[in-house]
Amino acid sequence: MSRIGKAPIEIPAGVTVKVDNNTVTVKGPKGELSQTVNPDLTVTVDGNHVVITRPSDDREHRAQHGLYRALIHNMVVGVSTGYRKEMELVGVGYRATATGQVLELALGFSHAIYIKLPAEVKVEAKTERNKNPLIILESDDKQLLGQVCAKIRSLRKPEPYKGKGIKFVGEIIRRKSGKSAGAK
């Protein structure tokens, strides 16, 4: 059996899981999420645990067993505690300001970049003196949060020579040395 797939998902207090045909709906204090599961797999709620079983040991069933278990677990964690990502803008003159669901970025281009974020993602921009500006994103949907972070990061990826760009807090950028001086 799949190591991930066979592990039951514990349902914390205040979270309800409902299985209707092949759709799993999870409600909690942070929101509500739903996921359609492959009809071959069986999802059951036993007390305060969710268990996913597969019909056979086919390669496809084994792969989907772990996949859907992970997706449902991410939904349970998302609606109970939520997910949070912090991104740091490294570079001279790089700034971020958040107004409602619009994020304005100054990343060294000739123009400002405006990004309209989905309603499920909460954004906050912090700027402290002598520190790099921070963008703090919070959501109950891990998949959507990762997608938004990837989009923001793709605007100015960290480069290996000076380390300028948008990176996650705590991320280590492998640095390269510049040109070697005068090889004869």
Side-chain angles (χ1 to χ4, degrees):
M1 276 192 102
S2 163
R3 286 190 213 164
I4 294 171
K6 69 181 177 182
I9 303 165
E10 191 171 330
I11 303 170
V15 176
T16 58
V17 178
K18 192 175 106 183
V19 181
D20 188 33
N21 291 334
N22 59 342
T23 303
V24 178
T25 306
V26 182
K27 283 185 187 176
K30 296 266 185 181
E32 178 180 345
L33 297 170
S34 63
Q35 173 71 45
T36 305
V37 179
N38 186 332
D40 293 345
L41 301 176
T42 309
V43 180
T44 54
V45 180
D46 299 332
N48 66 339
H49 291 297
V50 177
V51 180
I52 301 168
T53 53
R54 63 176 186 236
S56 69
D57 276 342
D58 290 348
R59 184 182 178 98
E60 187 178 334
H61 288 154
R62 286 196 319 257
Q64 291 181 353
H65 191 209
L67 168 76
Y68 285 114
R69 190 264 178 205
L71 291 175
I72 294 170
H73 179 263
N74 288 345
M75 290 191 322
V76 169
V77 172
V79 298
S80 60
T81 58
Y83 290 100
R84 176 185 171 106
K85 295 262 189 179
E86 294 183 2
M87 302 178 89
E88 187 177 10
L89 280 66
V90 181
V92 177
Y94 287 15
R95 289 186 312 278
T97 52
T99 343
Q101 288 302 105
V102 177
L103 181 65
E104 180 187 350
L105 298 170
L107 299 174
F109 297 116
S110 62
H111 58 282
I113 299 169
Y114 296 93
I115 302 172
K116 181 150 177 38
L117 300 173
E120 297 88 5
V121 178
K122 292 182 195 126
V123 65
E124 181 186 347
K126 281 187 180 177
T127 307
E128 292 180 26
R129 193 170 168 87
N130 296 330
K131 287 191 178 177
N132 292 326
L134 286 177
I135 302 170
I136 300 164
L137 300 162
E138 292 183 31
S139 179
D140 57 351
D141 191 347
K142 186 176 186 179
Q143 198 169 347
L144 179 66
L145 184 65
Q147 202 170 1
V148 169
C149 287
K151 176 65 179 167
I152 292 171
R153 183 183 161 101
S154 72
L155 298 171
R156 190 66 103 166
K157 286 186 180 173
E159 53 95 19
Y161 296 102
K162 292 184 181 176
K164 291 169 49 171
I166 301 173
K167 68 181 190 102
F168 292 104
V169 171
E171 180 183 7
I172 298 167
I173 306 297
R174 283 186 76 186
R175 301 294 296 271
K176 292 182 179 179
S177 60
K179 293 183 197 174
S180 55
K184 290 184 182 180

